[in-house]
Amino acid sequence: MKRYRNGEIWDFEHEMPVSPDGSEVILGLDGGTTSTVCVCMPFFPLSDCPLPDPVPVLARAVAGCSNHNSVGETAARETLEQVMADALSKSGSNRSAVRAVCLAVSGVNHPTDQQRILNWLRDIFPSYVQLYVQNDAVAALASGTMGKLHGCVLIAGTGTIAYGFTEDGKEARAAGAGPILGDWGSGYGIAAQALTAVVRAHDGRGPQTALTYNILRKLDISSPDELIGYLLLIDLLISNVATTEWTYADPSWARIAALVPVVVSCAEAGDEVANNILLESVQELASSVKAVVQRLDLCGEDGKGSFPLVMVGGVLEANKKWDIGKEVVNCISKDYPGTLPIRPKVEPAVGAALLAWNFFMKDVHKKA
């Protein structure tokens, strides 16, 4: 175990005695493009008993972006190391008490990404600590399945992705390609279509829509001509972000996605253009899930088997009369009636900690 480049991060351990009762812990991390959350959970010994509900969390720490594609590898590592140290310090634990760590972070899209992070984690923790690295969508799935990798997760926030697993470990994903390649159905996708509709209406190339007045008011501009200048400014801000991938790291993408409630309100008020945009988003989100279900055969050959569908993200929240999440489930259920929608009761970081525990248990049983 090394003191990595930021050795001072771990200075608190010098003043913290090893727990006299030998308490052990698990760390779960959810690292996104806007924030990183780490939770410290007690380690539950080998047992056939189910995990307690609710799952106890000893400590929680929050830091900034940890996507290496967005902030660079050095900054991402520093963020991850700091948030882990903060969680351990708050829980009264140190690295010697850790049994397993699951780091679920955006930007982990290839085995080489996983191996690079695993090598770095190995320098931080004692050799006996079990380390696991996943994409952040996997933690979102686990937050709805209590750490079991089976079923599909649909995330629809600024961006969108569908990610699924079979019980024997096969996995598949759909969408999640970023704004340039068209995460249609996402918050950004919905808002981008709405902005396009406003410009088309202004040009006379499309029908008039209530979106024009409501979006202009939301953005505090007076005409669609000003809208063009506003979007050019957003584009300039985005182009100045140093990134090796087309990601949603810059908050400028989120500024556009923040227009989704305006689109929903217009649709609820009877605007046909806004309604059609939401209907298209439902079809896009549902098609992503269907693609994953089909590739993994999650519903069996007859398509009637059941599978958990974990729903995560602001676009899917059921807080409006025009309920996008509900409509997505209805659309999927027409082809796969065994769809079991789940709204997670815990955050993805807890899902990552539960993943770490389940992975650890599987490894122990394999060695037994």
Side-chain angles (χ1 to χ4, degrees):
M1 180 173 66
K2 299 179 181 178
R3 277 172 57 90
Y4 199 55
R5 60 169 61 92
N6 293 311
E8 65 275 8
I9 288 176
W10 301 100
D11 283 349
F12 73 91
E13 292 181 324
H14 301 314
E15 303 173 2
M16 183 176 295
V18 177
S19 176
D21 60 0
S23 298
E24 296 175 316
V25 298
I26 288 176
L27 295 179
L29 289 88
D30 171 45
T33 54
T34 56
S35 66
T36 302
V37 178
C38 178
V39 298
C40 183
M41 188 178 83
F43 176 77
F44 301 100
L46 294 173
S47 172
D48 293 329
C49 298
L51 292 173
D53 187 12
V55 177
V57 173
L58 300 175
R60 181 179 187 270
V62 183
C65 175
S66 57
N67 184 327
H68 66 274
N69 293 316
S70 303
V71 298
E73 190 164 328
T74 299
R77 287 181 174 185
E78 291 176 355
T79 297
L80 291 168
E81 190 170 5
Q82 183 67 65
V83 78
M84 289 188 291
D86 288 348
L88 284 172
S89 177
K90 288 181 179 180
S91 70
S93 303
N94 55 40
R95 286 175 288 178
S96 64
V98 177
R99 292 296 300 273
V101 178
C102 180
L103 193 162
V105 63
S106 61
V108 175
N109 300 310
H110 192 273
T112 56
D113 297 325
Q114 289 179 307
Q115 193 58 53
R116 185 171 62 253
I117 297 174
L118 281 171
N119 292 340
W120 165 71
L121 285 174
R122 181 54 61 206
D123 284 342
I124 295 176
F125 290 96
S127 59
Y128 55 80
V129 178
Q130 297 299 303
L131 305 171
Y132 310 98
V133 176
Q134 299 286 340
N135 183 277
D136 61 336
V138 182
L141 172 61
S143 70
T145 60
M146 292 299 286
K148 297 179 181 178
L149 284 187
H150 172 244
C152 182
V153 62
L154 174 63
I155 301 175
T158 301
T160 184
I161 188 173
Y163 211 121
F165 281 85
T166 62
E167 291 183 333
D168 60 358
K170 295 178 182 177
E171 60 185 278
R173 58 183 284 177
I180 303 299
L181 297 179
D183 276 350
W184 303 124
S186 68
Y188 173 80
I190 292 171
Q193 286 184 280
L195 291 168
T196 300
V198 170
V199 173
R200 287 175 59 84
H202 179 64
D203 289 346
R205 294 180 293 122
Q208 294 301 306
T209 169
L211 289 168
T212 299
Y213 170 78
N214 286 281
I215 286 179
L216 295 183
R217 184 177 63 174
K218 175 71 174 178
L219 298 178
D220 194 26
I221 55 180
S222 59
S223 76
D225 290 325
E226 292 180 51
L227 176 63
I228 296 172
Y230 176 87
L231 294 178
L232 287 173
L233 175 61
I234 292 291
D235 183 61
L236 178 63
L237 290 171
I238 291 170
S239 65
N240 285 334
V241 177
T243 176
T244 57
E245 288 190 356
W246 291 323
T247 70
Y248 294 100
D250 187 81
S252 302
W253 296 113
R255 294 182 198 179
I256 295 176
L259 295 173
V260 169
V262 177
V263 183
V264 174
S265 295
C266 288
E268 290 179 344
D271 185 81
E272 185 176 355
V273 174
N275 191 66
N276 287 337
I277 290 173
L278 296 185
L279 288 174
E280 287 181 26
S281 76
V282 167
Q283 293 296 323
E284 289 289 346
L285 294 171
S287 67
S288 294
V289 174
K290 291 178 184 178
V292 170
V293 172
Q294 186 174 15
R295 285 161 62 188
L296 295 179
D297 200 22
L298 287 177
C299 288
E301 293 183 2
D302 59 2
K304 297 181 179 179
S306 62
F307 74 97
L309 173 62
V310 180
M311 313 276 283
V312 177
V315 171
L316 302 174
E317 291 178 358
N319 55 2
K320 295 284 186 178
K321 183 172 67 175
W322 215 118
D323 190 334
I324 297 175
K326 179 181 178 181
E327 295 303 319
V328 169
V329 172
N330 289 341
C331 184
I332 297 169
S333 297
K334 291 178 182 178
D335 292 325
Y336 300 107
T339 304
L340 303 174
I342 297 173
R343 303 279 182 173
K345 296 180 181 179
V346 299
E347 63 179 329
V350 175
L354 293 171
L355 271 178
W357 187 81
N358 279 328
F359 286 150
F360 184 91
M361 292 298 107
K362 286 183 180 180
D363 288 342
V364 169
H365 289 311
K366 286 179 181 178
K367 296 175 183 177

mmCIF file of all heavy atoms in Angstrom, residues 131-169:
data_model
loop_
_atom_site.group_PDB
_atom_site.id
_atom_site.type_symbol
_atom_site.label_atom_id
_atom_site.label_comp_id
_atom_site.label_asym_id
_atom_site.label_seq_id
_atom_site.Cartn_x
_atom_site.Cartn_y
_atom_site.Cartn_z
ATOM 1 N N LEU A 131 -11.174 -5.341 -4.871
ATOM 2 C CA LEU A 131 -11.457 -4.127 -5.621
ATOM 3 C C LEU A 131 -12.253 -4.439 -6.884
ATOM 4 O O LEU A 131 -11.939 -5.392 -7.607
ATOM 5 C CB LEU A 131 -10.154 -3.421 -5.999
ATOM 6 C CG LEU A 131 -9.204 -3.092 -4.842
ATOM 7 C CD1 LEU A 131 -7.872 -2.608 -5.377
ATOM 8 C CD2 LEU A 131 -9.832 -2.064 -3.917
ATOM 9 N N TYR A 132 -13.267 -3.617 -7.144
ATOM 10 C CA TYR A 132 -14.127 -3.827 -8.304
ATOM 11 C C TYR A 132 -14.395 -2.473 -8.970
ATOM 12 O O TYR A 132 -14.646 -1.476 -8.290
ATOM 13 C CB TYR A 132 -15.450 -4.474 -7.891
ATOM 14 C CG TYR A 132 -15.275 -5.689 -7.013
ATOM 15 C CD1 TYR A 132 -15.398 -5.586 -5.626
ATOM 16 C CD2 TYR A 132 -14.962 -6.922 -7.565
ATOM 17 C CE1 TYR A 132 -15.227 -6.690 -4.810
ATOM 18 C CE2 TYR A 132 -14.788 -8.037 -6.751
ATOM 19 C CZ TYR A 132 -14.919 -7.921 -5.378
ATOM 20 O OH TYR A 132 -14.733 -9.012 -4.569
ATOM 21 N N VAL A 133 -14.351 -2.435 -10.305
ATOM 22 C CA VAL A 133 -14.579 -1.208 -11.056
ATOM 23 C C VAL A 133 -15.666 -1.458 -12.100
ATOM 24 O O VAL A 133 -15.596 -2.446 -12.849
ATOM 25 C CB VAL A 133 -13.288 -0.718 -11.743
ATOM 26 C CG1 VAL A 133 -13.566 0.521 -12.600
ATOM 27 C CG2 VAL A 133 -12.211 -0.405 -10.702
ATOM 28 N N GLN A 134 -16.671 -0.571 -12.136
ATOM 29 C CA GLN A 134 -17.786 -0.708 -13.054
ATOM 30 C C GLN A 134 -18.154 0.651 -13.633
ATOM 31 O O GLN A 134 -17.728 1.690 -13.138
ATOM 32 C CB GLN A 134 -19.013 -1.296 -12.326
ATOM 33 C CG GLN A 134 -18.818 -2.675 -11.736
ATOM 34 C CD GLN A 134 -18.798 -3.768 -12.796
ATOM 35 O OE1 GLN A 134 -19.280 -3.565 -13.914
ATOM 36 N NE2 GLN A 134 -18.244 -4.921 -12.456
ATOM 37 N N ASN A 135 -18.963 0.643 -14.670
ATOM 38 C CA ASN A 135 -19.575 1.861 -15.185
ATOM 39 C C ASN A 135 -20.621 2.339 -14.180
ATOM 40 O O ASN A 135 -21.225 1.534 -13.470
ATOM 41 C CB ASN A 135 -20.226 1.584 -16.544
ATOM 42 C CG ASN A 135 -20.828 2.824 -17.165
ATOM 43 O OD1 ASN A 135 -21.946 3.208 -16.851
ATOM 44 N ND2 ASN A 135 -20.087 3.439 -18.072
ATOM 45 N N ASP A 136 -20.861 3.651 -14.099
ATOM 46 C CA ASP A 136 -21.801 4.161 -13.102
ATOM 47 C C ASP A 136 -23.228 3.675 -13.332
ATOM 48 O O ASP A 136 -24.030 3.621 -12.392
ATOM 49 C CB ASP A 136 -21.765 5.691 -13.042
ATOM 50 C CG ASP A 136 -22.146 6.351 -14.362
ATOM 51 O OD1 ASP A 136 -22.006 5.718 -15.418
ATOM 52 O OD2 ASP A 136 -22.574 7.523 -14.327
ATOM 53 N N ALA A 137 -23.566 3.271 -14.566
ATOM 54 C CA ALA A 137 -24.903 2.734 -14.819
ATOM 55 C C ALA A 137 -25.125 1.429 -14.062
ATOM 56 O O ALA A 137 -26.256 1.096 -13.689
ATOM 57 C CB ALA A 137 -25.114 2.516 -16.318
ATOM 58 N N VAL A 138 -24.056 0.687 -13.835
ATOM 59 C CA VAL A 138 -24.168 -0.592 -13.116
ATOM 60 C C VAL A 138 -24.565 -0.345 -11.661
ATOM 61 O O VAL A 138 -25.364 -1.070 -11.077
ATOM 62 C CB VAL A 138 -22.851 -1.379 -13.205
ATOM 63 C CG1 VAL A 138 -22.979 -2.717 -12.495
ATOM 64 C CG2 VAL A 138 -22.463 -1.601 -14.665
ATOM 65 N N ALA A 139 -24.018 0.703 -11.054
ATOM 66 C CA ALA A 139 -24.393 1.045 -9.682
ATOM 67 C C ALA A 139 -25.856 1.474 -9.622
ATOM 68 O O ALA A 139 -26.562 1.183 -8.646
ATOM 69 C CB ALA A 139 -23.492 2.149 -9.150
ATOM 70 N N ALA A 140 -26.308 2.173 -10.655
ATOM 71 C CA ALA A 140 -27.711 2.579 -10.699
ATOM 72 C C ALA A 140 -28.626 1.351 -10.747
ATOM 73 O O ALA A 140 -29.666 1.307 -10.083
ATOM 74 C CB ALA A 140 -27.964 3.468 -11.907
ATOM 75 N N LEU A 141 -28.242 0.343 -11.533
ATOM 76 C CA LEU A 141 -29.006 -0.909 -11.567
ATOM 77 C C LEU A 141 -29.012 -1.558 -10.187
ATOM 78 O O LEU A 141 -30.067 -1.961 -9.674
ATOM 79 C CB LEU A 141 -28.397 -1.862 -12.594
ATOM 80 C CG LEU A 141 -28.952 -3.297 -12.620
ATOM 81 C CD1 LEU A 141 -30.435 -3.302 -12.949
ATOM 82 C CD2 LEU A 141 -28.186 -4.155 -13.624
ATOM 83 N N ALA A 142 -27.854 -1.636 -9.569
ATOM 84 C CA ALA A 142 -27.730 -2.292 -8.267
ATOM 85 C C ALA A 142 -28.512 -1.570 -7.177
ATOM 86 O O ALA A 142 -28.949 -2.192 -6.205
ATOM 87 C CB ALA A 142 -26.256 -2.397 -7.876
ATOM 88 N N SER A 143 -28.721 -0.257 -7.344
ATOM 89 C CA SER A 143 -29.476 0.489 -6.337
ATOM 90 C C SER A 143 -30.935 0.059 -6.299
ATOM 91 O O SER A 143 -31.618 0.259 -5.295
ATOM 92 C CB SER A 143 -29.387 1.996 -6.618
ATOM 93 O OG SER A 143 -30.114 2.348 -7.787
ATOM 94 N N GLY A 144 -31.411 -0.536 -7.390
ATOM 95 C CA GLY A 144 -32.793 -1.012 -7.427
ATOM 96 C C GLY A 144 -32.940 -2.493 -7.189
ATOM 97 O O GLY A 144 -34.049 -2.985 -6.936
ATOM 98 N N THR A 145 -31.826 -3.233 -7.266
ATOM 99 C CA THR A 145 -31.880 -4.697 -7.120
ATOM 100 C C THR A 145 -31.125 -5.180 -5.885
ATOM 101 O O THR A 145 -30.843 -6.367 -5.782
ATOM 102 C CB THR A 145 -31.284 -5.375 -8.364
ATOM 103 O OG1 THR A 145 -29.917 -4.968 -8.511
ATOM 104 C CG2 THR A 145 -32.060 -5.005 -9.618
ATOM 105 N N MET A 146 -30.810 -4.247 -4.986
ATOM 106 C CA MET A 146 -30.065 -4.578 -3.762
ATOM 107 C C MET A 146 -28.741 -5.275 -4.063
ATOM 108 O O MET A 146 -28.357 -6.229 -3.407
ATOM 109 C CB MET A 146 -30.922 -5.428 -2.827
ATOM 110 C CG MET A 146 -32.110 -4.691 -2.240
ATOM 111 S SD MET A 146 -31.619 -3.270 -1.228
ATOM 112 C CE MET A 146 -31.007 -4.096 0.248
ATOM 113 N N GLY A 147 -28.062 -4.777 -5.098
ATOM 114 C CA GLY A 147 -26.723 -5.257 -5.406
ATOM 115 C C GLY A 147 -26.644 -6.445 -6.336
ATOM 116 O O GLY A 147 -25.545 -6.897 -6.659
ATOM 117 N N LYS A 148 -27.771 -6.964 -6.796
ATOM 118 C CA LYS A 148 -27.760 -8.107 -7.713
ATOM 119 C C LYS A 148 -27.700 -7.618 -9.154
ATOM 120 O O LYS A 148 -28.473 -6.743 -9.551
ATOM 121 C CB LYS A 148 -29.009 -8.961 -7.500
ATOM 122 C CG LYS A 148 -29.094 -9.592 -6.114
ATOM 123 C CD LYS A 148 -30.357 -10.412 -5.962
ATOM 124 C CE LYS A 148 -30.450 -11.032 -4.580
ATOM 125 N NZ LYS A 148 -31.708 -11.803 -4.390
ATOM 126 N N LEU A 149 -26.803 -8.187 -9.933
ATOM 127 C CA LEU A 149 -26.673 -7.803 -11.332
ATOM 128 C C LEU A 149 -27.567 -8.683 -12.189
ATOM 129 O O LEU A 149 -27.151 -9.686 -12.748
ATOM 130 C CB LEU A 149 -25.217 -7.894 -11.782
ATOM 131 C CG LEU A 149 -24.309 -6.767 -11.304
ATOM 132 C CD1 LEU A 149 -22.940 -6.876 -11.941
ATOM 133 C CD2 LEU A 149 -24.918 -5.404 -11.580
ATOM 134 N N HIS A 150 -28.817 -8.297 -12.266
ATOM 135 C CA HIS A 150 -29.772 -8.993 -13.132
ATOM 136 C C HIS A 150 -30.867 -8.014 -13.498
ATOM 137 O O HIS A 150 -31.403 -7.304 -12.639
ATOM 138 C CB HIS A 150 -30.393 -10.207 -12.441
ATOM 139 C CG HIS A 150 -31.502 -10.814 -13.250
ATOM 140 N ND1 HIS A 150 -32.811 -10.845 -12.817
ATOM 141 C CD2 HIS A 150 -31.499 -11.385 -14.477
ATOM 142 C CE1 HIS A 150 -33.554 -11.423 -13.749
ATOM 143 N NE2 HIS A 150 -32.790 -11.759 -14.755
ATOM 144 N N GLY A 151 -31.198 -7.925 -14.789
ATOM 145 C CA GLY A 151 -32.230 -7.028 -15.237
ATOM 146 C C GLY A 151 -31.655 -5.895 -16.053
ATOM 147 O O GLY A 151 -30.570 -6.003 -16.635
ATOM 148 N N CYS A 152 -32.386 -4.792 -16.082
ATOM 149 C CA CYS A 152 -31.986 -3.659 -16.912
ATOM 150 C C CYS A 152 -32.213 -2.360 -16.143
ATOM 151 O O CYS A 152 -33.168 -2.244 -15.371
ATOM 152 C CB CYS A 152 -32.807 -3.643 -18.206
ATOM 153 S SG CYS A 152 -32.371 -2.327 -19.372
ATOM 154 N N VAL A 153 -31.326 -1.410 -16.332
ATOM 155 C CA VAL A 153 -31.513 -0.068 -15.784
ATOM 156 C C VAL A 153 -31.686 0.894 -16.946
ATOM 157 O O VAL A 153 -31.001 0.787 -17.965
ATOM 158 C CB VAL A 153 -30.331 0.367 -14.887
ATOM 159 C CG1 VAL A 153 -29.026 0.422 -15.668
ATOM 160 C CG2 VAL A 153 -30.623 1.714 -14.233
ATOM 161 N N LEU A 154 -32.636 1.803 -16.805
ATOM 162 C CA LEU A 154 -32.813 2.888 -17.763
ATOM 163 C C LEU A 154 -32.538 4.184 -17.025
ATOM 164 O O LEU A 154 -33.238 4.524 -16.069
ATOM 165 C CB LEU A 154 -34.227 2.904 -18.335
ATOM 166 C CG LEU A 154 -34.556 4.096 -19.246
ATOM 167 C CD1 LEU A 154 -33.666 4.099 -20.490
ATOM 168 C CD2 LEU A 154 -36.029 4.110 -19.634
ATOM 169 N N ILE A 155 -31.491 4.882 -17.455
ATOM 170 C CA ILE A 155 -31.160 6.179 -16.884
ATOM 171 C C ILE A 155 -31.535 7.244 -17.909
ATOM 172 O O ILE A 155 -31.140 7.168 -19.070
ATOM 173 C CB ILE A 155 -29.659 6.281 -16.563
ATOM 174 C CG1 ILE A 155 -29.252 5.188 -15.578
ATOM 175 C CG2 ILE A 155 -29.334 7.654 -15.989
ATOM 176 C CD1 ILE A 155 -27.757 5.147 -15.291
ATOM 177 N N ALA A 156 -32.317 8.221 -17.475
ATOM 178 C CA ALA A 156 -32.698 9.320 -18.363
ATOM 179 C C ALA A 156 -32.651 10.616 -17.570
ATOM 180 O O ALA A 156 -33.594 10.964 -16.858
ATOM 181 C CB ALA A 156 -34.087 9.091 -18.956
ATOM 182 N N GLY A 157 -31.518 11.289 -17.691
ATOM 183 C CA GLY A 157 -31.346 12.603 -17.080
ATOM 184 C C GLY A 157 -30.955 13.555 -18.188
ATOM 185 O O GLY A 157 -31.646 13.638 -19.208
ATOM 186 N N THR A 158 -29.838 14.250 -18.036
ATOM 187 C CA THR A 158 -29.326 15.057 -19.138
ATOM 188 C C THR A 158 -29.042 14.169 -20.338
ATOM 189 O O THR A 158 -29.374 14.492 -21.476
ATOM 190 C CB THR A 158 -28.042 15.798 -18.718
ATOM 191 O OG1 THR A 158 -28.337 16.635 -17.598
ATOM 192 C CG2 THR A 158 -27.509 16.647 -19.853
ATOM 193 N N GLY A 159 -28.412 13.024 -20.086
ATOM 194 C CA GLY A 159 -28.193 12.003 -21.113
ATOM 195 C C GLY A 159 -29.025 10.778 -20.801
ATOM 196 O O GLY A 159 -29.849 10.772 -19.880
ATOM 197 N N THR A 160 -28.809 9.705 -21.538
ATOM 198 C CA THR A 160 -29.556 8.475 -21.290
ATOM 199 C C THR A 160 -28.721 7.259 -21.659
ATOM 200 O O THR A 160 -27.833 7.333 -22.520
ATOM 201 C CB THR A 160 -30.880 8.455 -22.081
ATOM 202 O OG1 THR A 160 -31.618 7.273 -21.745
ATOM 203 C CG2 THR A 160 -30.632 8.461 -23.582
ATOM 204 N N ILE A 161 -29.008 6.153 -20.994
ATOM 205 C CA ILE A 161 -28.389 4.878 -21.315
ATOM 206 C C ILE A 161 -29.271 3.760 -20.770
ATOM 207 O O ILE A 161 -29.946 3.937 -19.746
ATOM 208 C CB ILE A 161 -26.960 4.766 -20.717
ATOM 209 C CG1 ILE A 161 -26.251 3.509 -21.224
ATOM 210 C CG2 ILE A 161 -27.009 4.784 -19.200
ATOM 211 C CD1 ILE A 161 -24.783 3.424 -20.818
ATOM 212 N N ALA A 162 -29.293 2.648 -21.457
ATOM 213 C CA ALA A 162 -29.918 1.425 -20.956
ATOM 214 C C ALA A 162 -28.814 0.389 -20.824
ATOM 215 O O ALA A 162 -28.000 0.216 -21.736
ATOM 216 C CB ALA A 162 -31.003 0.932 -21.903
ATOM 217 N N TYR A 163 -28.763 -0.279 -19.673
ATOM 218 C CA TYR A 163 -27.686 -1.233 -19.391
ATOM 219 C C TYR A 163 -28.308 -2.443 -18.725
ATOM 220 O O TYR A 163 -29.095 -2.307 -17.781
ATOM 221 C CB TYR A 163 -26.669 -0.590 -18.443
ATOM 222 C CG TYR A 163 -25.246 -1.040 -18.597
ATOM 223 C CD1 TYR A 163 -24.233 -0.131 -18.888
ATOM 224 C CD2 TYR A 163 -24.885 -2.373 -18.449
ATOM 225 C CE1 TYR A 163 -22.906 -0.529 -19.030
ATOM 226 C CE2 TYR A 163 -23.574 -2.784 -18.586
ATOM 227 C CZ TYR A 163 -22.588 -1.850 -18.877
ATOM 228 O OH TYR A 163 -21.281 -2.263 -19.011
ATOM 229 N N GLY A 164 -27.970 -3.638 -19.216
ATOM 230 C CA GLY A 164 -28.569 -4.833 -18.659
ATOM 231 C C GLY A 164 -27.585 -5.955 -18.412
ATOM 232 O O GLY A 164 -26.498 -5.998 -19.000
ATOM 233 N N PHE A 165 -27.978 -6.859 -17.502
ATOM 234 C CA PHE A 165 -27.183 -8.024 -17.149
ATOM 235 C C PHE A 165 -28.081 -9.251 -17.046
ATOM 236 O O PHE A 165 -29.235 -9.165 -16.617
ATOM 237 C CB PHE A 165 -26.495 -7.842 -15.781
ATOM 238 C CG PHE A 165 -25.254 -7.000 -15.810
ATOM 239 C CD1 PHE A 165 -25.338 -5.623 -15.736
ATOM 240 C CD2 PHE A 165 -23.997 -7.591 -15.915
ATOM 241 C CE1 PHE A 165 -24.196 -4.845 -15.749
ATOM 242 C CE2 PHE A 165 -22.855 -6.815 -15.945
ATOM 243 C CZ PHE A 165 -22.948 -5.445 -15.857
ATOM 244 N N THR A 166 -27.527 -10.404 -17.436
ATOM 245 C CA THR A 166 -28.180 -11.673 -17.158
ATOM 246 C C THR A 166 -27.585 -12.259 -15.880
ATOM 247 O O THR A 166 -26.539 -11.814 -15.413
ATOM 248 C CB THR A 166 -27.969 -12.675 -18.303
ATOM 249 O OG1 THR A 166 -26.560 -12.947 -18.430
ATOM 250 C CG2 THR A 166 -28.496 -12.116 -19.618
ATOM 251 N N GLU A 167 -28.245 -13.254 -15.320
ATOM 252 C CA GLU A 167 -27.768 -13.847 -14.068
ATOM 253 C C GLU A 167 -26.435 -14.561 -14.243
ATOM 254 O O GLU A 167 -25.700 -14.753 -13.274
ATOM 255 C CB GLU A 167 -28.828 -14.804 -13.514
ATOM 256 C CG GLU A 167 -30.080 -14.069 -13.026
ATOM 257 C CD GLU A 167 -31.087 -15.009 -12.420
ATOM 258 O OE1 GLU A 167 -31.095 -16.205 -12.805
ATOM 259 O OE2 GLU A 167 -31.882 -14.565 -11.573
ATOM 260 N N ASP A 168 -26.102 -14.961 -15.481
ATOM 261 C CA ASP A 168 -24.814 -15.633 -15.709
ATOM 262 C C ASP A 168 -23.721 -14.659 -16.159
ATOM 263 O O ASP A 168 -22.645 -15.080 -16.602
ATOM 264 C CB ASP A 168 -24.966 -16.780 -16.718
ATOM 265 C CG ASP A 168 -25.462 -16.306 -18.078
ATOM 266 O OD1 ASP A 168 -25.727 -15.089 -18.222
ATOM 267 O OD2 ASP A 168 -25.601 -17.146 -18.980
ATOM 268 N N GLY A 169 -23.989 -13.347 -16.049
ATOM 269 C CA GLY A 169 -22.935 -12.364 -16.252
ATOM 270 C C GLY A 169 -22.845 -11.721 -17.616
ATOM 271 O O GLY A 169 -21.990 -10.859 -17.831
#
